[in-house]
Structure formats: structure tokens, C-alpha cells
Amino acid sequence: MTELDIRPALSWPDVEAVFGPHGAHGGCWCLWFRATGAQFRELKGEGARERLRALVDSPGPAPGVLAFLDGEPVGWCAVAPREDHVRLARSSTMKPLDPAEPGVWAVTCFYVVRSGRRKGIPAALLSGAVDYAASCGARAVEGYPIDTDRKLPAAELYYGWRALFDAAGFHEVARRTPTRPIMRRDLRA
């Protein structure tokens, strides 16, 4: 029997165990949404690794949640206040409907190690991300999944996919392109 546990990403060794020595997706270290294009190009690789480490080690909220399968870290989901993801505000596809609305958190990235795939980990990560955001005072959580009938490789599903967000109680609030809805879950009673 396997045991799956979702926890805030507060341990750098656990985050690094998921991302590997060079970072998920070729050195990104899940900073794509947290930096402008110029900043990201400057950070990519070791700079991005150190920036994520600083976020994990900082006293503020964790930059995401981790999935542990039988005690081993196997998955990551980035979740943080929407304003921490500067690239969202600049995106024609994902920009906020109301950028001044307080308390909105964003789920921007999923990554599951190969050994953890096909075990329901993304759904558990999304549920854990919503719970973590709520525990930090979030009023709503948004996501920006892919919505297509085309089969995609795992590397292209880092945003998540529509059915994953539907199953977690999110609903579509906007769609600026055919394959990228903005999904939202209101956490207010």
C-alpha cells in the first residue's frame, strides 16, 4: 500500500530531490512566472536554482507544495499570491481579470518525477495547493491549464490540464485563446 502526503515546500533538499541537479524542464527551477523575460534569461540555470532556494528558505509562505509518495518527494506544484508571478500580469493569455483584487493565489506549474507518474499525484498536488493557499488567507485560487484534445508529452503539461482543474472544483472565468482557459476556485464561504 502506498501513502501519498502533500506538504508545503519548506525543505530545500526535498525540492532539489524532485527537480534533480539541473532543475525541471532544462534549468527553469519554476521561476518562469516569477520573472520577466530578461530576468529569467539572466537567472536560468544556477541563478534560478539559487533564487528558488532563497524562496524555499525565506520566512514567508512556501513557493509551492510537494508530494511525498511513501516518504519520498516525487512532485511539485507552484502556488503563491498571484502578484508574485509577474509574468501573469504581462501575459495576453493569462493576465488577471481584476489585477487589483486582493487575496488571489495562482497555481502556475506542476512537475512529477517519472517514478511518480500515473499515480494521481497532480490531483493531490492541486488539492494540496488549494488547501495551502486557503491556510495562508487566500480568497481564491486561479490556474491556467491546457485545454486540448491533442495528446501532449508530460513536459508540455506543466500548466496542468482542464479536466484536472474541473475535478478540483475550478470553473472557467475567461478564455483569451482556444486552448488556454483561466480557471478559478473561490475559497470564500
Side-chain angles (χ1 to χ4, degrees):
M1 190 160 102
T2 59
E3 183 180 326
L4 183 60
D5 186 27
I6 307 299
R7 303 177 210 156
L10 298 171
S11 161
W12 178 249
D14 291 335
V15 171
E16 193 172 35
V18 171
F19 280 45
H22 303 292
H25 305 299
C28 176
W29 291 98
C30 209
L31 290 176
W32 173 257
F33 290 100
R34 288 181 173 267
T36 65
Q39 290 169 334
F40 183 77
R41 284 187 297 279
E42 206 173 281
L43 283 172
K44 195 166 182 180
E46 188 61 26
R49 178 183 179 278
E50 290 308 312
R51 173 98 181 268
L52 181 58
R53 183 179 189 154
L55 289 169
V56 169
D57 291 342
S58 75
V65 294
L66 293 170
F68 293 81
L69 187 62
D70 295 330
E72 295 298 316
V74 295
W76 158 268
C77 178
V79 61
R82 187 173 59 190
E83 60 270 12
D84 290 359
H85 298 98
V86 297
R87 201 174 287 249
L88 292 177
R90 296 170 173 234
S91 170
S92 60
T93 304
M94 299 173 281
K95 68 182 171 190
L97 299 176
D98 180 358
E101 183 181 8
V104 178
W105 281 46
V107 169
T108 56
C109 184
F110 293 86
Y111 182 72
V112 177
V113 301
R114 190 173 304 279
S115 66
R117 295 181 188 160
R118 300 194 180 280
K119 295 179 177 156
I121 291 172
L125 281 165
L126 183 54
S127 177
V130 169
D131 290 347
Y132 182 64
S135 76
C136 291
R139 299 173 66 220
V141 179
E142 288 184 350
Y144 316 93
I146 300 289
D147 185 13
T148 181
D149 292 334
R150 200 168 49 92
K151 184 163 173 63
L152 298 171
E156 291 185 39
L157 293 172
Y158 66 94
Y159 292 105
W161 50 95
R162 171 72 189 248
L164 175 69
F165 283 82
D166 284 336
F170 285 70
H171 64 280
E172 185 174 325
V173 293
R175 184 183 292 249
R176 297 181 178 113
T177 68
T179 61
R180 296 300 302 279
I182 296 176
M183 306 287 292
R184 187 176 175 125
R185 182 166 162 190
D186 191 358
L187 302 178
R188 294 174 283 193

